[in-house]
Amino acid sequence: MSQHAERSKLGTILTIVFIVALLMGPGPGVMLVRGTTFLGFPAIYAWGLLWYAVEVAVVVIAFCCVWTDDDAEGADTDSVSA
């Protein structure tokens, strides 16, 4: 499997995880408003922080592993070619 195909598959997986995190954050978390706590935090706050952490992790993984430019390896990317 080529490096481009692996990055494409990882990108698809990360996209799905990010969309699920976007939906789960505000969605079912509303049911936690009843005043329960988790590690001293209101449960709704902990729920939101959990899904925010998932979204941040997806962006960091995508930055490190997916958002690369194979054509620019070894080339000066700051110069503009005419």
Side-chain angles (χ1 to χ4, degrees), residues 5-79:
E6 289 175 6
R7 279 195 333 218
S8 178
K9 182 178 179 182
L10 179 61
T12 302
I13 292 169
L14 290 174
T15 300
I16 291 168
V17 170
F18 193 84
I19 290 171
V20 168
L22 282 175
L23 294 173
M24 291 297 288
V30 173
M31 303 297 261
L32 300 171
V33 175
R34 301 179 198 268
T36 58
T37 60
F38 178 77
L39 297 175
F41 293 106
I44 187 75
Y45 185 72
W47 179 264
L49 285 177
L50 166 77
W51 291 108
Y52 177 74
V54 170
E55 292 170 12
V56 169
V58 166
V59 170
V60 169
I61 292 169
F63 177 77
C64 294
C65 302
V66 178
W67 297 334
T68 61
D69 188 7
D70 289 338
D71 297 334
E73 286 183 9
D76 184 15
T77 57
D78 291 337
S79 64

